[in-house]
Amino acid sequence: MHQTNKELEAAAKRNMDFAKLFLLLPILLSALSNLEYSTAQSFNCSSPIGCRALVGYITVNNTNLGAIQSLFNVKNLRNLLGANNLPLYTPRNHTIPAQQVIKVPINCVCYNNTGTSSGAPIYKVQAGDGLDHIATEVFSRLVQFRQIQAANGIPDPDLITPGQELKIPLPCSCDDVDGERVVHYAHMVKSGSSLEEIAREFGTDEETLAKINGIKAENELIANQPIDVPLKACNSSITTDSLDYPLLASNGTYVFTANGCVRCTCDAASNWTLNCEPSGNKPSKWDACPPMQCEGLSLGSSNTSGCNRSTCSYAGFNNSIIFTSLVQDSSCSTSSPSNDVSRISLNWDFLSILFLFSFHLFQ
Ligand SMILES: *[C@@H]1O[C@H](CO)[C@@H](O)[C@H](O)[C@H]1NC(C)=O
Ligand SMILES: *[C@@H]1O[C@H](CO)[C@@H](O)[C@H](O)[C@H]1NC(C)=O
Ligand SMILES: *[C@@H]1O[C@H](CO)[C@@H](O)[C@H](O)[C@H]1NC(C)=O
Ligand SMILES: *[C@@H]1O[C@H](CO)[C@@H](O)[C@H](O)[C@H]1NC(C)=O
Ligand SMILES: *[C@@H]1O[C@H](CO)[C@@H](O)[C@H](O)[C@H]1NC(C)=O
Ligand SMILES: *[C@@H]1O[C@H](CO)[C@@H](O)[C@H](O)[C@H]1NC(C)=O
Ligand SMILES: *[C@@H]1O[C@H](CO)[C@@H](O)[C@H](O)[C@H]1NC(C)=O
Ligand SMILES: *[C@@H]1O[C@H](CO)[C@@H](O)[C@H](O)[C@H]1NC(C)=O
Ligand SMILES: *[C@@H]1O[C@H](CO)[C@@H](O)[C@H](O)[C@H]1NC(C)=O
Ligand SMILES: *[C@@H]1O[C@H](CO)[C@@H](O)[C@H](O)[C@H]1NC(C)=O
């Protein structure tokens, strides 16, 4: 039997329409069955602007920083170093043993009240991979296979092909917590750990952890799942129209910004103030770094006059310039009242000792 080209085309089209329907049905079904799974692991996020967040990757085998950098598509090694407070000269082939936690910086965006990593990581399927292996081993359970399935519109989780590129939707958030700027950290809960322990380790409190994770009772803390841990961020002078706004960094980390021209360090000991200075790096988008000065003071430096101090602070960047801001603070006005305060508290201590003493006497 002989078919004309037209007939063949029509037949092919019918088959394709049928195939499309056939493909769509499981997507719809899996989207429905996904709901209970995805809400268990995703973080609430409603901020209109994106931000920087962290995920705690647990290494499966012995590996090195370069391998982790490429797995998560972190643009520069220095960003990975900064998130882990490793010295800048740490080489790419620096060995990381199995079962170690490495903080990986990601770009986060909120969509539909949920935060996910934006753009990266993209994972290229290897021969022999299954979605579950990718979720539980390669990405150390930071994500569930159903979330990868949903993010990539994969109808059948058993049907992925080597070479296929998958978006990995890592959990994150950009929301302020109790009016404070924080870096959201996706921490993998170890079996046997408690909210109290996690709160203590990361300098937050149990109530906050329970609230933002929707945990009502201690037994709702599930091991081997990520929990949203808000890490207090350093204050900065960043302006809302800066391209890197809100520039979040947590204690003990450093970040590079303004196309690599500026390095900012967050140290709780410096009164939670972000400390930025020229990085000395070659910029990524500009031929040379634009000037980083405030009226004669260079970025990051201070001058003092008596008890007054002016610091040239980083305030952001746009496509052509780096913004700075001269921040004034003074130790004169704060030192004398604080002396008064300590004198008053001494008096109170004295009074309370007297009070306790008399209490004992009257018993
Ligand atoms: C890393 O690479 C350098 C030179 O490329 C080499 O000398 C060093 O031994 C390597 N270190 C590790 C841990 O592989
Ligand atoms: C947004 O999330 C809700 C539940 O969390 C879900 O029912 C809805 O389908 C989602 N909408 C989109 C556009 O993804
Ligand atoms: C870890 O090593 C084992 C044994 O070599 C291998 O089968 C497994 O795929 C590795 N896992 C990852 C995530 O690389
Ligand atoms: C997350 O957001 C949803 C919708 O706004 C809300 O119902 C839920 O209580 C929030 N969960 C937490 C843990 O804040
Ligand atoms: C951060 O800066 C804001 C505005 O300058 C100020 O209101 C707030 O108290 C500061 N927070 C800390 C922790 O220093
Ligand atoms: C800040 O981080 C340093 C280590 O980098 C640590 O010693 C210190 O206790 C931390 N401070 C707070 C308040 O978290
Ligand atoms: C710490 O920062 C706060 C708010 O930015 C400021 O009011 C306070 O004076 C600072 N304290 C010191 C000792 O610098
Ligand atoms: C410090 O600044 C205040 C006002 O900001 C000013 O009145 C005072 O004279 C200054 N003190 C010194 C020593 O410069
Ligand atoms: C520091 O230098 C700047 C720029 O020259 C000047 O505006 C500021 O008043 C100086 N601050 C102090 C405390 O001397
Ligand atoms: C960058 O900011 C400066 C000062 O606000 C402005 O004059 C300039 O037009 C801005 N450039 C771009 C490319 O947005």
Side-chain angles (χ1 to χ4, degrees), residues 276-332:
C276 301
E277 46 190 45
S279 68
N281 290 327
K282 211 178 148 304
S284 54
K285 287 198 179 127
W286 293 316
D287 295 331
C289 292
M292 295 172 247
Q293 299 260 313
C294 320
E295 309 161 27
L297 269 185
S298 64
L299 183 63
S301 60
S302 308
N303 60 355
T304 51
S305 149
C307 47
N308 292 345
R309 186 178 59 175
S310 308
T311 306
C312 182
S313 299
Y314 174 71
F317 78 110
N318 68 12
N319 288 326
S320 49
I321 64 168
I322 289 179
F323 312 133
T324 57
S325 155
L326 197 63
V327 177
Q328 320 267 356
D329 61 276
S330 168
S331 50
C332 352

Side-chain angles (χ1 to χ4, degrees), residues 42-46 112-114 209-216:
S42 51
F43 299 171
N44 266 13
C45 181
S46 53
N112 195 19
N113 208 43
T114 296
L209 280 182
K211 189 181 69 186
I212 68 171
N213 288 283
I215 296 174
K216 285 171 203 78

Side-chain angles (χ1 to χ4, degrees), residues 37-320:
Y37 289 91
S38 45
T39 49
Q41 254 207 340
S42 51
F43 299 171
N44 266 13
C45 181
S46 53
S47 163
I49 46 158
C51 69
R52 210 180 139 271
L54 296 169
V55 297
Y57 173 64
I58 302 173
T59 53
V60 180
N61 297 325
N62 278 2
T63 183
N64 63 39
L65 283 175
I68 298 171
Q69 185 199 346
S70 53
L71 178 64
F72 286 89
N73 311 143
V74 178
K75 235 183 225 142
N76 295 298
L77 183 67
R78 58 182 187 237
N79 294 333
L80 195 54
L81 298 176
N84 293 280
N85 207 14
L86 290 166
L88 254 185
Y89 53 76
T90 313
R92 204 167 290 269
N93 64 0
H94 179 75
T95 307
I96 308 290
Q99 298 304 311
Q100 187 158 327
V101 181
I102 293 290
K103 293 198 175 94
V104 180
I106 60 169
N107 291 320
C108 183
V109 287
C110 307
Y111 174 70
N112 195 19
N113 208 43
T114 296
T116 48
S117 51
S118 108
I122 303 284
Y123 178 75
K124 201 169 189 174
V125 177
Q126 316 280 305
D129 273 351
L131 273 193
D132 195 51
H133 167 77
I134 295 170
T136 58
E137 282 210 44
V138 181
F139 287 97
S140 76
R141 297 180 196 269
L142 281 165
V143 62
Q144 290 181 340
F145 83 88
R146 286 176 184 280
Q147 295 174 312
I148 305 180
Q149 187 187 355
N152 293 276
I154 296 171
D156 182 351
D158 293 328
L159 274 186
I160 53 172
T161 47
Q164 188 177 351
E165 294 194 330
L166 301 177
K167 275 183 290 192
I168 308 296
L170 300 172
C172 61
S173 180
C174 293
D175 293 354
D176 288 354
V177 172
D178 298 329
E180 272 202 9
R181 286 245 179 271
V182 296
V183 177
H184 287 265
Y185 172 54
H187 166 72
M188 290 301 299
V189 175
K190 294 184 200 80
S191 67
S193 70
S194 64
L195 275 185
E196 189 194 348
E197 251 171 52
I198 298 171
R200 204 179 327 116
E201 180 176 358
F202 296 105
T204 177
D205 58 82
E206 278 176 76
E207 293 70 34
T208 306
L209 280 182
K211 189 181 69 186
I212 68 171
N213 288 283
I215 296 174
K216 285 171 203 78
E218 186 69 53
N219 62 6
E220 286 179 30
L221 185 66
I222 304 168
N224 299 318
Q225 275 204 5
I227 181 177
D228 184 357
V229 177
L231 307 174
K232 186 173 155 74
C234 266
N235 249 345
S236 72
S237 310
I238 193 101
T239 58
T240 50
D241 52 357
S242 171
L243 291 177
D244 57 355
Y245 180 82
L247 187 61
L248 302 174
S250 54
N251 178 36
T253 68
Y254 59 89
V255 294
F256 288 86
T257 188
N259 293 328
C261 288
V262 175
R263 173 185 171 164
C264 300
T265 307
C266 174
D267 181 358
S270 318
N271 199 19
W272 291 99
T273 303
L274 196 65
N275 193 341
C276 301
E277 46 190 45
S279 68
N281 290 327
K282 211 178 148 304
S284 54
K285 287 198 179 127
W286 293 316
D287 295 331
C289 292
M292 295 172 247
Q293 299 260 313
C294 320
E295 309 161 27
L297 269 185
S298 64
L299 183 63
S301 60
S302 308
N303 60 355
T304 51
S305 149
C307 47
N308 292 345
R309 186 178 59 175
S310 308
T311 306
C312 182
S313 299
Y314 174 71
F317 78 110
N318 68 12
N319 288 326
S320 49

